[in-house]
Coordinates of all heavy atoms in Angstrom, one line a residue:
V12 N 6.0 -13.6 14.9 CA 4.8 -14.0 14.2 C 3.6 -14.1 15.1 O 2.5 -13.7 14.7 CB 5.0 -15.4 13.5 CG1 3.8 -15.9 12.8 CG2 6.1 -15.4 12.6
L13 N 3.7 -14.6 16.3 CA 2.6 -14.7 17.2 C 2.0 -13.4 17.6 O 0.7 -13.3 17.7 CB 3.0 -15.5 18.4 CG 3.3 -17.1 18.1 CD1 3.7 -17.7 19.4 CD2 2.2 -17.7 17.5
E14 N 2.8 -12.4 17.9 CA 2.2 -11.1 18.3 C 1.4 -10.5 17.2 O 0.2 -10.1 17.4 CB 3.3 -10.2 18.7 CG 2.8 -8.8 19.3 CD 3.8 -7.9 19.6 OE1 5.0 -8.3 19.9 OE2 3.5 -6.7 19.7
A15 N 1.9 -10.5 16.0 CA 1.2 -9.9 14.8 C -0.1 -10.7 14.5 O -1.1 -10.1 14.3 CB 2.1 -9.9 13.6
R16 N 0.0 -12.0 14.6 CA -1.2 -12.8 14.4 C -2.2 -12.6 15.5 O -3.4 -12.5 15.2 CB -0.8 -14.3 14.3 CG -1.8 -15.2 13.8 CD -1.4 -16.6 13.6 NE -0.4 -16.6 12.6 CZ 0.5 -17.6 12.5 NH1 0.5 -18.6 13.4 NH2 1.5 -17.6 11.6
A17 N -1.8 -12.5 16.8 CA -2.7 -12.2 17.9 C -3.5 -10.9 17.6 O -4.7 -10.9 17.8 CB -2.1 -12.3 19.2
W18 N -2.8 -9.9 17.3 CA -3.4 -8.6 17.0 C -4.3 -8.8 15.8 O -5.5 -8.1 15.8 CB -2.4 -7.5 16.7 CG -1.8 -6.9 18.0 CD1 -0.4 -7.1 18.3 CD2 -2.4 -6.2 19.0 NE1 -0.2 -6.4 19.5 CE2 -1.4 -5.9 20.0 CE3 -3.6 -5.9 19.2 CZ2 -1.7 -5.2 21.1 CZ3 -4.0 -5.1 20.4 CH2 -3.0 -4.8 21.4
L19 N -4.0 -9.5 14.8 CA -4.9 -9.6 13.6 C -6.2 -10.3 14.0 O -7.2 -9.9 13.7 CB -4.2 -10.4 12.6 CG -5.0 -10.8 11.3 CD1 -5.2 -9.5 10.5 CD2 -4.2 -11.8 10.5
H20 N -6.1 -11.4 14.8 CA -7.2 -12.1 15.3 C -8.1 -11.3 16.2 O -9.4 -11.3 16.2 CB -7.0 -13.5 16.0 CG -6.3 -14.4 15.0 ND1 -6.9 -14.9 13.8 CD2 -5.1 -15.1 15.0 CE1 -6.2 -15.7 13.2 NE2 -5.1 -15.9 13.8
L21 N -7.4 -10.5 17.0 CA -8.2 -9.6 17.9 C -9.0 -8.6 17.1 O -10.1 -8.3 17.3 CB -7.3 -8.9 18.9 CG -7.8 -8.0 20.0 CD1 -8.8 -9.0 20.9 CD2 -6.7 -7.5 20.9
G22 N -8.3 -8.0 16.1 CA -9.0 -7.1 15.2 C -10.1 -7.7 14.5 O -11.2 -7.1 14.4
E23 N -10.0 -9.0 14.1 CA -11.2 -9.6 13.4 C -12.3 -9.8 14.4 O -13.4 -9.6 14.0 CB -10.7 -11.0 12.9 CG -9.8 -10.8 11.7 CD -9.1 -12.1 11.3 OE1 -9.1 -13.1 12.0 OE2 -8.5 -12.1 10.2
A24 N -12.0 -10.1 15.7 CA -13.1 -10.3 16.7 C -13.7 -9.0 16.9 O -15.0 -8.9 17.0 CB -12.4 -10.8 17.9
Y25 N -13.0 -7.8 17.1 CA -13.6 -6.5 17.4 C -14.4 -6.2 16.1 O -15.5 -5.6 16.3 CB -12.5 -5.5 17.5 CG -11.9 -5.5 18.9 CD1 -10.5 -5.5 19.1 CD2 -12.8 -5.4 20.0 CE1 -10.0 -5.5 20.4 CE2 -12.2 -5.4 21.3 CZ -10.8 -5.4 21.5 OH -10.3 -5.3 22.7
R26 N -14.0 -6.5 14.9 CA -14.8 -6.2 13.7 C -16.1 -6.9 13.8 O -17.1 -6.3 13.4 CB -13.9 -6.5 12.5 CG -14.6 -6.1 11.3 CD -13.7 -6.3 10.0 NE -14.4 -5.7 8.9 CZ -13.9 -5.8 7.7 NH1 -12.7 -6.4 7.4 NH2 -14.5 -5.2 6.6
A27 N -16.0 -8.1 14.1 CA -17.3 -9.0 14.1 C -18.2 -8.4 15.2 O -19.4 -8.6 15.1 CB -16.9 -10.4 14.4
L28 N -17.7 -7.9 16.3 CA -18.6 -7.3 17.3 C -19.1 -5.9 17.0 O -19.8 -5.3 17.7 CB -17.7 -7.3 18.7 CG -17.4 -8.6 19.3 CD1 -16.5 -8.4 20.5 CD2 -18.7 -9.3 19.7
G29 N -18.5 -5.3 15.9 CA -18.9 -4.0 15.5 C -18.2 -2.9 16.1 O -18.5 -1.7 15.9
D30 N -17.1 -3.2 16.8 CA -16.2 -2.1 17.4 C -15.1 -1.7 16.4 O -14.0 -2.2 16.5 CB -15.7 -2.7 18.7 CG -15.0 -1.6 19.5 OD1 -14.7 -0.5 19.0 OD2 -14.8 -1.8 20.8
R31 N -15.5 -0.8 15.5 CA -14.6 -0.4 14.5 C -13.3 0.2 15.0 O -12.2 0.0 14.5 CB -15.3 0.7 13.6 CG -14.5 1.2 12.5 CD -15.3 2.2 11.6 NE -14.5 2.8 10.6 CZ -13.7 3.8 10.7 NH1 -13.7 4.5 11.9 NH2 -13.0 4.4 9.8
R32 N -13.4 1.1 16.0 CA -12.2 1.8 16.5 C -11.2 0.7 17.1 O -10.0 0.8 16.8 CB -12.6 2.8 17.6 CG -11.5 3.6 18.1 CD -11.9 4.6 19.1 NE -13.0 5.4 18.7 CZ -12.9 6.7 18.2 NH1 -11.7 7.2 18.2 NH2 -14.0 7.3 17.8
A33 N -11.7 -0.2 17.9 CA -10.8 -1.2 18.4 C -10.2 -2.1 17.4 O -9.1 -2.5 17.4 CB -11.6 -2.0 19.5
A34 N -11.1 -2.4 16.3 CA -10.6 -3.2 15.2 C -9.5 -2.5 14.4 O -8.4 -3.1 14.2 CB -11.7 -3.6 14.3
L35 N -9.7 -1.3 14.2 CA -8.6 -0.5 13.4 C -7.3 -0.5 14.3 O -6.3 -0.6 13.7 CB -9.1 0.9 13.1 CG -10.2 1.0 12.0 CD1 -10.7 2.4 11.9 CD2 -9.6 0.6 10.6
D36 N -7.5 -0.2 15.5 CA -6.3 -0.2 16.4 C -5.6 -1.6 16.4 O -4.4 -1.6 16.3 CB -6.7 0.2 17.8 CG -5.6 0.2 18.8 OD1 -4.6 1.1 18.5 OD2 -5.4 -0.5 19.8
A37 N -6.3 -2.6 16.5 CA -5.7 -3.9 16.5 C -5.0 -4.2 15.2 O -3.9 -4.7 15.2 CB -6.7 -5.0 16.9
F38 N -5.7 -3.9 14.1 CA -5.1 -4.2 12.8 C -3.8 -3.3 12.6 O -2.8 -3.8 12.1 CB -6.1 -3.9 11.6 CG -7.2 -4.9 11.6 CD1 -8.5 -4.5 11.3 CD2 -7.0 -6.2 11.8 CE1 -9.5 -5.4 11.2 CE2 -8.0 -7.1 11.7 CZ -9.3 -6.7 11.4
T39 N -3.9 -2.1 13.0 CA -2.7 -1.2 13.0 C -1.5 -1.8 13.8 O -0.4 -1.8 13.3 CB -3.1 0.2 13.5 OG1 -4.1 0.7 12.6 CG2 -1.8 1.2 13.4
R40 N -1.9 -2.3 15.0 CA -0.7 -2.9 15.8 C -0.2 -4.1 15.1 O 1.0 -4.4 15.2 CB -1.3 -3.2 17.2 CG -1.5 -1.9 18.1 CD -2.2 -2.2 19.3 NE -2.6 -1.1 20.1 CZ -1.9 -0.8 21.3 NH1 -1.0 -1.5 21.8 NH2 -2.4 0.3 21.9
S41 N -1.1 -4.9 14.5 CA -0.7 -6.1 13.8 C 0.3 -5.7 12.7 O 1.4 -6.3 12.6 CB -1.9 -6.8 13.3 OG -1.4 -7.9 12.5
V42 N 0.0 -4.7 12.0 CA 0.9 -4.2 10.8 C 2.2 -3.8 11.4 O 3.3 -4.2 11.0 CB 0.3 -3.1 10.0 CG1 1.3 -2.5 9.1 CG2 -1.0 -3.6 9.3
R43 N 2.2 -3.0 12.5 CA 3.4 -2.6 13.0 C 4.3 -3.7 13.6 O 5.6 -3.7 13.5 CB 3.1 -1.5 14.2 CG 2.7 -0.2 13.6 CD 2.4 0.8 14.8 NE 1.8 2.0 14.3 CZ 1.1 2.8 15.0 NH1 0.8 2.5 16.3 NH2 0.5 3.8 14.4
S44 N 3.7 -4.6 14.3 CA 4.3 -5.7 14.8 C 5.0 -6.5 13.7 O 6.2 -6.9 13.9 CB 3.5 -6.6 15.7 OG 4.1 -7.7 16.2
A45 N 4.2 -6.8 12.8 CA 4.7 -7.6 11.6 C 5.9 -6.9 10.9 O 6.9 -7.5 10.6 CB 3.6 -8.0 10.7
Q46 N 5.8 -5.6 10.6 CA 6.8 -4.9 9.9 C 8.1 -4.8 10.8 O 9.1 -4.9 10.2 CB 6.3 -3.6 9.5 CG 5.3 -3.5 8.4 CD 4.7 -2.2 8.1 OE1 4.7 -1.3 9.0 NE2 4.2 -2.1 6.9
S47 N 8.0 -4.6 12.1 CA 9.1 -4.5 12.9 C 9.9 -5.8 12.9 O 11.1 -5.8 13.2 CB 8.7 -4.1 14.3 OG 8.1 -5.1 15.0
R48 N 9.2 -6.9 12.6 CA 10.0 -8.2 12.6 C 10.1 -8.7 11.2 O 10.4 -10.0 11.1 CB 9.1 -9.1 13.5 CG 9.2 -8.8 15.0 CD 8.2 -9.6 15.7 NE 8.2 -9.3 17.2 CZ 7.7 -8.1 17.7 NH1 7.1 -7.3 16.9 NH2 7.7 -8.0 18.9
E49 N 9.9 -7.9 10.2 CA 10.0 -8.3 8.8 C 9.2 -9.4 8.4 O 9.6 -10.3 7.6 CB 11.5 -8.4 8.4 CG 12.3 -7.1 8.6 CD 13.7 -7.3 8.2 OE1 14.0 -8.2 7.4 OE2 14.5 -6.5 8.6
Q50 N 7.9 -9.5 8.9 CA 7.0 -10.6 8.7 C 6.0 -10.0 7.6 O 4.9 -9.6 7.9 CB 6.3 -11.0 9.9 CG 7.2 -11.6 11.0 CD 6.6 -11.7 12.3 OE1 5.5 -11.1 12.6 NE2 7.2 -12.4 13.3
R51 N 6.5 -10.0 6.4 CA 5.7 -9.4 5.3 C 4.3 -10.0 5.0 O 3.4 -9.3 4.8 CB 6.6 -9.4 4.0 CG 7.8 -8.6 4.2 CD 8.7 -8.5 3.0 NE 9.1 -9.8 2.7 CZ 9.6 -10.1 1.6 NH1 9.8 -9.3 0.6 NH2 10.1 -11.3 1.4
V52 N 4.2 -11.4 5.2 CA 3.0 -12.0 4.9 C 2.0 -11.6 6.0 O 0.8 -11.3 5.7 CB 3.1 -13.5 4.8 CG1 1.7 -14.2 4.7 CG2 3.9 -13.9 3.6
S53 N 2.3 -11.5 7.3 CA 1.4 -11.1 8.3 C 1.1 -9.7 8.1 O -0.1 -9.3 8.3 CB 2.1 -11.3 9.7 OG 2.3 -12.7 9.9
A54 N 2.0 -8.8 7.8 CA 1.7 -7.4 7.5 C 0.7 -7.3 6.4 O -0.2 -6.4 6.4 CB 3.0 -6.6 7.2
L55 N 0.9 -8.1 5.4 CA 0.0 -8.1 4.2 C -1.5 -8.3 4.6 O -2.4 -7.6 4.2 CB 0.5 -9.0 3.1 CG -0.3 -9.2 1.9 CD1 -0.3 -7.9 1.1 CD2 0.3 -10.3 1.1
R56 N -1.6 -9.4 5.4 CA -3.0 -9.7 5.8 C -3.7 -8.6 6.7 O -4.8 -8.3 6.5 CB -3.0 -11.0 6.7 CG -2.6 -12.3 5.8 CD -2.6 -13.6 6.6 NE -4.0 -13.8 7.2 CZ -4.1 -14.5 8.3 NH1 -3.1 -15.0 9.0 NH2 -5.3 -14.7 8.8
A57 N -2.9 -8.0 7.5 CA -3.4 -6.9 8.4 C -3.7 -5.7 7.6 O -4.7 -5.0 7.7 CB -2.4 -6.6 9.5
L58 N -2.8 -5.4 6.6 CA -3.1 -4.2 5.7 C -4.3 -4.5 4.9 O -5.1 -3.5 4.7 CB -1.9 -4.0 4.8 CG -0.8 -3.2 5.4 CD1 0.5 -3.3 4.5 CD2 -1.1 -1.8 5.6
E59 N -4.6 -5.7 4.5 CA -5.8 -6.0 3.7 C -7.0 -5.8 4.6 O -8.0 -5.2 4.1 CB -5.8 -7.5 3.2 CG -4.8 -7.7 2.1 CD -4.6 -9.2 1.7 OE1 -4.8 -10.0 2.6 OE2 -4.3 -9.4 0.6
Q60 N -7.0 -6.1 5.8 CA -8.1 -5.9 6.7 C -8.3 -4.4 6.9 O -9.5 -3.9 6.9 CB -7.8 -6.6 8.1 CG -7.9 -8.1 8.0 CD -9.3 -8.6 7.8 OE1 -10.3 -7.9 8.1 NE2 -9.4 -9.8 7.2
L61 N -7.3 -3.6 7.2 CA -7.4 -2.2 7.3 C -8.0 -1.5 6.1 O -9.0 -0.7 6.2 CB -6.0 -1.5 7.5 CG -5.5 -1.6 8.9 CD1 -4.0 -1.2 9.0 CD2 -6.3 -0.7 9.9
A62 N -7.5 -1.9 4.8 CA -8.1 -1.4 3.7 C -9.5 -1.7 3.5 O -10.3 -0.8 3.1 CB -7.3 -1.9 2.5
D63 N -9.9 -2.9 3.7 CA -11.3 -3.3 3.6 C -12.2 -2.6 4.6 O -13.3 -2.2 4.2 CB -11.4 -4.9 3.8 CG -12.7 -5.4 3.6 OD1 -13.3 -5.2 2.4 OD2 -13.3 -6.0 4.4
M64 N -11.7 -2.5 5.9 CA -12.6 -1.7 6.8 C -12.8 -0.3 6.4 O -13.9 0.2 6.5 CB -11.9 -1.8 8.2 CG -12.1 -3.0 9.0 SD -11.8 -2.9 10.7 CE -13.1 -1.8 11.2
E65 N -11.7 0.4 6.0 CA -11.8 1.8 5.6 C -12.7 1.9 4.4 O -13.5 2.9 4.3 CB -10.4 2.4 5.4 CG -9.6 2.5 6.6 CD -10.1 3.5 7.6 OE1 -11.1 4.2 7.4 OE2 -9.3 3.6 8.7
E66 N -12.6 1.1 3.5 CA -13.4 1.1 2.3 C -14.9 0.9 2.7 O -15.8 1.6 2.1 CB -13.0 0.1 1.3 CG -13.6 0.1 0.0 CD -13.0 -0.9 -1.0 OE1 -11.8 -0.9 -1.3 OE2 -13.8 -1.8 -1.5
S67 N -15.2 0.0 3.5 CA -16.6 -0.3 3.9 C -17.3 0.8 4.6 O -18.5 0.9 4.6 CB -16.6 -1.7 4.8 OG -16.1 -1.3 6.1
V68 N -16.5 1.8 5.2 CA -17.2 2.9 5.8 C -17.1 4.2 5.0 O -17.4 5.3 5.5 CB -16.6 3.1 7.3 CG1 -16.9 1.9 8.1 CG2 -15.1 3.4 7.3
G69 N -16.6 4.0 3.8 CA -16.5 5.2 2.9 C -15.3 6.0 3.0 O -15.2 7.1 2.4
S70 N -14.3 5.6 3.8 CA -13.0 6.3 3.8 C -12.1 5.9 2.7 O -11.1 5.2 2.9 CB -12.3 6.0 5.2 OG -13.1 6.5 6.2
Y71 N -12.5 6.3 1.5 CA -11.8 5.8 0.3 C -10.4 6.2 0.1 O -9.6 5.5 -0.4 CB -12.6 6.2 -1.0 CG -14.1 5.6 -0.9 CD1 -15.2 6.4 -0.9 CD2 -14.3 4.2 -0.9 CE1 -16.5 5.9 -0.7 CE2 -15.6 3.6 -0.8 CZ -16.6 4.5 -0.7 OH -17.9 3.9 -0.6
R72 N -10.1 7.4 0.5 CA -8.7 7.9 0.4 C -7.8 7.1 1.3 O -6.7 6.7 0.8 CB -8.6 9.4 0.7 CG -9.1 10.2 -0.4 CD -8.9 11.7 0.0 NE -9.7 12.5 -0.9 CZ -9.1 13.4 -1.8 NH1 -7.7 13.5 -1.8 NH2 -9.8 14.1 -2.6
V73 N -8.2 6.9 2.5 CA -7.4 6.1 3.4 C -7.3 4.6 2.9 O -6.2 4.0 2.9 CB -8.0 6.1 4.9 CG1 -7.3 5.2 5.8 CG2 -8.1 7.6 5.4
A74 N -8.4 4.1 2.5 CA -8.5 2.7 2.0 C -7.5 2.6 0.8 O -6.8 1.6 0.7 CB -9.9 2.3 1.5
L75 N -7.5 3.6 -0.1 CA -6.7 3.5 -1.3 C -5.2 3.5 -0.9 O -4.4 2.8 -1.5 CB -7.0 4.7 -2.2 CG -6.2 4.8 -3.5 CD1 -6.5 3.5 -4.3 CD2 -6.5 6.1 -4.2
G76 N -4.8 4.3 0.1 CA -3.5 4.3 0.6 C -3.1 2.9 1.2 O -2.0 2.3 0.9
H77 N -4.0 2.2 1.8 CA -3.8 0.9 2.4 C -3.6 -0.2 1.2 O -2.8 -1.0 1.2 CB -4.8 0.4 3.3 CG -4.8 1.2 4.6 ND1 -3.7 1.4 5.4 CD2 -5.9 1.7 5.3 CE1 -4.0 2.1 6.4 NE2 -5.3 2.3 6.5
W78 N -4.6 0.0 0.3 CA -4.6 -0.9 -0.9 C -3.2 -0.8 -1.7 O -2.7 -1.8 -2.2 CB -5.7 -0.8 -1.9 CG -7.0 -1.3 -1.3 CD1 -8.1 -0.7 -1.0 CD2 -7.3 -2.7 -0.9 NE1 -9.1 -1.5 -0.6 CE2 -8.6 -2.8 -0.4 CE3 -6.4 -3.8 -0.9 CZ2 -9.1 -3.9 0.0 CZ3 -7.1 -5.0 -0.5 CH2 -8.3 -5.1 0.0
H79 N -2.7 0.5 -1.8 CA -1.4 0.7 -2.4 C -0.4 0.0 -1.7 O 0.5 -0.7 -2.3 CB -1.1 2.2 -2.6 CG 0.2 2.5 -3.2 ND1 0.4 2.2 -4.6 CD2 1.3 2.9 -2.7 CE1 1.7 2.5 -4.8 NE2 2.3 2.9 -3.7
A80 N -0.3 0.1 -0.4 CA 0.6 -0.6 0.5 C 0.5 -2.1 0.3 O 1.5 -2.8 0.2 CB 0.5 -0.2 1.9
V81 N -0.7 -2.6 0.3 CA -1.0 -4.1 0.0 C -0.3 -4.5 -1.3 O 0.4 -5.5 -1.4 CB -2.5 -4.3 0.0 CG1 -2.7 -5.7 -0.6 CG2 -3.1 -4.3 1.4
R82 N -0.6 -3.7 -2.3 CA -0.1 -4.1 -3.7 C 1.5 -4.1 -3.7 O 2.1 -5.1 -4.2 CB -0.6 -3.2 -4.8 CG -0.1 -3.6 -6.1 CD -0.6 -2.7 -7.2 NE 0.3 -1.5 -7.0 CZ 0.0 -0.3 -7.4 NH1 -1.2 -0.1 -8.1 NH2 0.8 0.7 -7.2
T83 N 2.1 -3.1 -3.1 CA 3.5 -3.0 -3.1 C 4.1 -4.1 -2.2 O 5.1 -4.8 -2.7 CB 3.9 -1.7 -2.4 OG1 3.4 -0.6 -3.2 CG2 5.4 -1.5 -2.3
L84 N 3.5 -4.4 -1.1 CA 4.0 -5.5 -0.2 C 3.8 -6.8 -0.9 O 4.7 -7.8 -0.9 CB 3.4 -5.5 1.1 CG 3.8 -6.4 2.2 CD1 5.3 -6.2 2.4 CD2 3.1 -6.2 3.5
R85 N 2.6 -7.1 -1.5 CA 2.3 -8.4 -2.3 C 3.3 -8.6 -3.3 O 3.9 -9.7 -3.5 CB 0.9 -8.3 -2.8 CG 0.5 -9.7 -3.5 CD -0.9 -9.7 -3.9 NE -1.9 -9.5 -2.8 CZ -2.9 -8.8 -2.8 NH1 -3.2 -8.1 -3.9 NH2 -3.7 -8.7 -1.9
D86 N 3.7 -7.5 -4.1 CA 4.7 -7.6 -5.2 C 6.1 -8.0 -4.6 O 6.7 -8.9 -5.2 CB 4.8 -6.3 -6.0 CG 3.6 -6.0 -6.9 OD1 2.8 -6.9 -7.0 OD2 3.5 -4.9 -7.3
S87 N 6.4 -7.4 -3.4 CA 7.7 -7.8 -2.9 C 7.7 -9.2 -2.3 O 8.7 -9.9 -2.5 CB 8.1 -6.8 -1.8 OG 7.4 -7.0 -0.6
V88 N 6.6 -9.6 -1.8 CA 6.6 -11.0 -1.2 C 6.6 -12.0 -2.3 O 7.5 -13.0 -2.3 CB 5.2 -11.2 -0.4 CG1 5.0 -12.7 -0.2 CG2 5.3 -10.5 0.9
F89 N 5.9 -11.9 -3.4 CA 5.9 -12.8 -4.5 C 7.1 -12.7 -5.4 O 7.6 -13.7 -5.9 CB 4.6 -12.7 -5.3 CG 3.4 -13.2 -4.5 CD1 2.4 -12.3 -4.1 CD2 3.3 -14.5 -4.1 CE1 1.3 -12.8 -3.4 CE2 2.2 -14.9 -3.4 CZ 1.2 -14.1 -3.0
N90 N 7.7 -11.5 -5.6 CA 8.9 -11.5 -6.3 C 10.1 -12.1 -5.5 O 10.9 -12.8 -6.1 CB 9.2 -10.0 -6.6 CG 8.4 -9.4 -7.6 OD1 7.8 -10.1 -8.5 ND2 8.3 -8.1 -7.6
Q91 N 10.1 -12.0 -4.2 CA 11.1 -12.6 -3.3 C 11.0 -14.1 -3.6 O 12.0 -14.8 -3.7 CB 10.9 -12.2 -1.9 CG 12.0 -12.8 -1.0 CD 13.3 -12.1 -1.1 OE1 13.4 -11.0 -1.6 NE2 14.3 -12.8 -0.5
G92 N 9.8 -14.7 -3.5 CA 9.6 -16.1 -3.6 C 10.0 -16.6 -5.0 O 10.5 -17.7 -5.1
A93 N 9.8 -15.8 -6.0 CA 10.1 -16.2 -7.4 C 11.6 -16.2 -7.6 O 12.1 -17.0 -8.4 CB 9.4 -15.3 -8.4
M94 N 12.3 -15.4 -6.8 CA 13.8 -15.3 -6.9 C 14.5 -16.5 -6.3 O 15.7 -16.7 -6.5 CB 14.3 -14.0 -6.4 CG 13.8 -12.9 -7.3 SD 14.2 -11.2 -6.7 CE 15.6 -11.2 -5.7
Q95 N 13.8 -17.1 -5.4 CA 14.5 -18.3 -4.6 C 14.4 -19.6 -5.3 O 13.7 -19.9 -6.1 CB 13.9 -18.3 -3.2 CG 14.2 -17.1 -2.4 CD 13.4 -17.1 -1.0 OE1 12.7 -18.0 -0.7 NE2 13.8 -16.2 -0.2

């Protein structure tokens, strides 16, 4: 959890500083770290950041792919919680 969260916060800091490339890299690393450890909520947060960033710069196709992944992951997170 800590590694994915650290990458997420680093991405947010880079984004605030205007370093889009570094922010995208950090968010991508956060997603990978979270997914490799099956931390779906952390992956969801990072994917949302990636989608939002891509959308804000006009990369709509890439953003749409991320939003689709967000929706799919969100559905699996909340369906899992409802089943317990």
Side-chain angles (χ1 to χ4, degrees):
V12 174
L13 294 179
E14 182 180 345
R16 192 174 299 157
W18 281 115
L19 179 67
H20 291 305
L21 189 58
E23 291 169 346
Y25 281 130
R26 186 176 188 181
L28 291 171
D30 191 340
R31 180 180 175 272
R32 185 179 308 259
L35 288 171
D36 180 59
F38 291 139
T39 300
R40 288 174 185 250
S41 178
V42 170
R43 288 182 186 152
S44 175
Q46 288 175 335
S47 73
R48 291 167 179 79
E49 297 184 20
Q50 299 165 346
R51 294 179 298 166
V52 174
S53 293
L55 179 63
R56 290 182 60 208
L58 280 167
E59 288 171 333
Q60 290 290 334
L61 279 171
D63 187 54
M64 279 198 69
E65 294 291 1
E66 189 175 300
S67 72
V68 297
S70 298
Y71 299 115
R72 286 182 191 244
V73 175
L75 185 60
H77 291 313
W78 284 123
H79 178 71
V81 165
R82 187 185 68 203
T83 301
L84 189 54
R85 186 179 292 139
D86 287 348
S87 75
V88 167
F89 291 113
N90 286 338
Q91 180 78 18
M94 293 172 28
Q95 293 178 353

